Amino acid sequence: MKRKSALLWGLVILLCGTAVGLAVYKSTSLGVPFLPGQRQNAWTVEATVRFDANGREVEVELGLPPLKENSEVRQEVASLGYGYQERNLVGQGRRGIWSARSRSGVQRLYYQISLAEEDLRSLGEIKSSAPEVEPSRIGGSESEMLARETLRKECREKSANPETFVTQLWSRLFGESLSQEAGFLRRSYEARIGEGWEMSLLQDFLQMEGIAYRKAWGVILNETLGSQKPVPMIEFYDGRDWEAVEAVAVREAGELVVWSRGDSLLDVRGGNNSQVFFTTIRNMAPLEATDALRNAPAWIGSIAALPVNERRVFRYIALIPVGAFMIVVLRNLVGFNMLGTFMPVLLALSFLEIPLAPALLMFSALLAAGLFFRFFLSRLNLLVVPRVAACVVVVSLLMIVFGLFSWRMGLTVGLEVTVFPMVVLAWTIERMSILWDEEGAGAAMVQAGGSLAAAVLAYLVMRIRTVDYWAQYFPELLLILLAGILLIGRYTGYRMSELIRFKSFVKS
């Protein structure tokens, strides 16, 4: 027994010493702050280009952000086996160009840029003189021409300059209430042009009005969106300056910044099915520290060294041990009764994606409905695996119904219900129903309530900014949590709930 205790304490000391040593090395040698700064002042935006190469020479052009001089910027290009260069093209701005002699199959190219927040927001402020307005050569049927002219006259009557004209035009074309002309034009352009019809519709009206414009492409600064498509934008000249207007309503999703200007964002020669999508993430450490982590040896672990798209995934993975530690503390030291170990942790991760109150409401509704169908299935005398599979199907259908109902009610948060772990919910329903049959409804409700309370507490700890920062930049500190779990695993004393329960015996 003494040998096992010595081994345990030796392992605990080794884990804690390794974690502290790595953290101190990062902080002192690499300059990574041990605590997050008071202000998050940098963003990393990663563009991923994907296409199918057809076996011939490949050349890829991607529009790049228009950078100011003396901007604090970090650029990184990942293109194994490709040559890369940058050019400034007339009317297109900065362009990144990848080239290779022969490629076939699925290809992926990456371009990553890190900018101070004020520099990133100022990308749209880089101006140029107004171009000459081209003569109007707008096609379409007579019905389209009549509808456009009617809307143009309405906008002119209620506007005084190009800026107010565009404001009136946007509200009529993309607002909540549409006139017959606007509805007809939307349907006609969508059927005739397809993807990107919104930008074409705006361009035609600006050309009719004689307003100078240029195309642009934007990115939404919102790290919760994951991979996002570029947002088509139009910049028009109001007589003194350039103003931007997006072709689709995306402002509510986050701050929209200009990424590139020009008619085309991506050109691929030697391939097809090309697409580009962006991933954004807010840096919680200075750019110099992030660079140092990327260039550090492989044994210096940090999520900040990963590509942005993968960093979002591993950011949640790094928080799972935090949730697991909370569950161990609540179960073995406090005395919470709960259904399993991983279900509260995964629920806590789900709460990170959805506001807490709607998440609790959706979980309760799904659990109640799932239990109803589970008791119905119990009458069919099914085996365990088919019964659980049937619960998965029922939970999936309930999620779809919940999402459709939320959409009809105008509640977009209901569309995010799919982040709930379906299999975990199915097993939770199965285990709760068995507990209901064996120990009664009271015991089942107590354990379900304990699981939900533990998930909420774990979620609140995961939401702490310092915890999130340590998980990203100092993941070695998770070894301290492992040491704590090992120590708690040997604890056989009273739990806090038992001390309260047997309080009367202590007094006697």
Side-chain angles (χ1 to χ4, degrees), residues 155-169:
C155 294
R156 281 182 62 88
E157 291 176 358
K158 296 186 178 182
S159 62
N161 49 51
E163 183 178 0
T164 54
F165 175 84
V166 173
T167 302
Q168 291 290 328
L169 177 63

Side-chain angles (χ1 to χ4, degrees), residues 130-134 136 152 155-156 159 161-167 169 202-214 234-239 241-243:
E132 296 182 1
V133 181
E134 298 180 359
S136 178
R152 186 175 76 93
C155 294
R156 281 182 62 88
S159 62
N161 49 51
E163 183 178 0
T164 54
F165 175 84
V166 173
T167 302
L169 177 63
L202 283 175
Q203 289 176 194
D204 287 349
F205 274 97
L206 293 176
Q207 197 172 10
M208 289 174 61
E209 189 64 16
I211 300 175
Y213 67 90
R214 62 189 180 190
I234 290 180
E235 294 180 322
F236 64 94
Y237 195 70
D238 63 1
D241 216 341
W242 288 94
E243 300 290 340

Side-chain angles (χ1 to χ4, degrees), residues 454-471:
V456 172
L457 292 175
Y459 156 80
L460 294 176
V461 173
M462 292 178 183
R463 281 290 304 273
I464 298 175
R465 184 165 175 248
T466 303
V467 173
D468 188 16
Y469 178 80
W470 285 342

